[in-house]
């Protein structure tokens, strides 16, 4: 690299990505949901991959539940209660998926609905 190119890079405008908590949550939910969909569609089901993504999804929901249970959380009480309920449902349903009693489609639907809400999209 010559001196002119080094100077160009040194003085080039930089782009700083500003991430909000909401965008970080949306990205995490999107990544987990994509993994969940991919594993759920695989034939035969890759059980270790399924267990791994269900674990990650549960961890995310436990974190969300803990966040909305905090008295300092600024979300409306009704929404906080709904998120907490979804966390409980996710835990129970994940156990059923691991036991082969249910499939992961309900978990994908829940995550997708929450993702729409985070992105400000209407339910269709």
């Amino acid at each position: 690299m010559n001196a002119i190119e080094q100077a160009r890079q040194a003085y080039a405008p930089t782009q700083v990505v500003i991430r909000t908590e909401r965008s970080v949550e949306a990205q995490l939910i999107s990544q987990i949901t994509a993994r969940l969909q991919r594993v759920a569609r695989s034939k035969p089901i890759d059980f270790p991959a399924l267990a791994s993504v269900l674990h990650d999804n549960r961890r995310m929901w436990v974190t969300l539940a803990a966040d909305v249970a905090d008295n300092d959380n600024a979300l409306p009480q009704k929404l906080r209660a709904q998120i907490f309920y979804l966390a409980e449902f996710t835990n129970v349903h994940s156990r059923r998926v691991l036991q082969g009693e249910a499939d992961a489609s309900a978990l994908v639907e829940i995550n997708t609905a929450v993702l729409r809400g985070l992105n400000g999209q209407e339910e269709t």
Side-chain angles (χ1 to χ4, degrees):
M1 183 182 297
N2 64 32
I4 294 173
E5 187 58 34
Q6 287 177 338
R8 232 184 242 137
Q9 285 185 354
Y11 292 103
T14 59
Q15 292 182 344
V16 177
V17 176
I18 299 174
R19 306 280 318 213
T20 64
E21 288 179 13
R22 189 177 190 132
S23 70
V24 171
E25 287 174 346
Q27 182 180 11
L28 177 63
I29 293 170
S30 179
Q31 289 171 346
I32 289 175
T33 304
R35 284 179 49 215
L36 191 54
Q37 287 175 314
R38 203 171 29 255
V39 170
R41 283 192 296 241
S42 66
K43 300 293 180 206
I45 296 286
D46 178 353
F47 191 79
L50 177 64
S52 175
V53 71
L54 287 173
H55 172 72
D56 290 345
N57 193 53
R58 278 173 145 168
R59 268 190 359 190
M60 176 188 69
W61 277 101
V62 165
T63 302
L64 291 172
D67 189 41
V68 298
D70 186 341
N71 289 332
D72 293 333
N73 188 293
L75 290 175
Q77 186 64 34
K78 183 177 178 185
L79 180 57
R80 291 169 56 191
Q82 290 170 331
I83 292 170
F84 195 88
Y85 169 78
L86 289 174
E88 289 180 335
F89 175 85
T90 297
N91 188 41
V92 170
H93 194 77
S94 295
R95 190 175 317 113
R96 292 186 63 224
V97 172
L98 288 170
Q99 292 171 343
E101 299 170 357
D103 65 28
S105 61
L107 301 173
V108 170
E109 288 177 28
I110 289 168
N111 287 5
T112 302
V114 170
L115 193 55
R116 277 192 210 107
L118 284 170
N119 291 329
Q121 299 172 350
E122 294 289 322
E123 283 284 324
T124 55

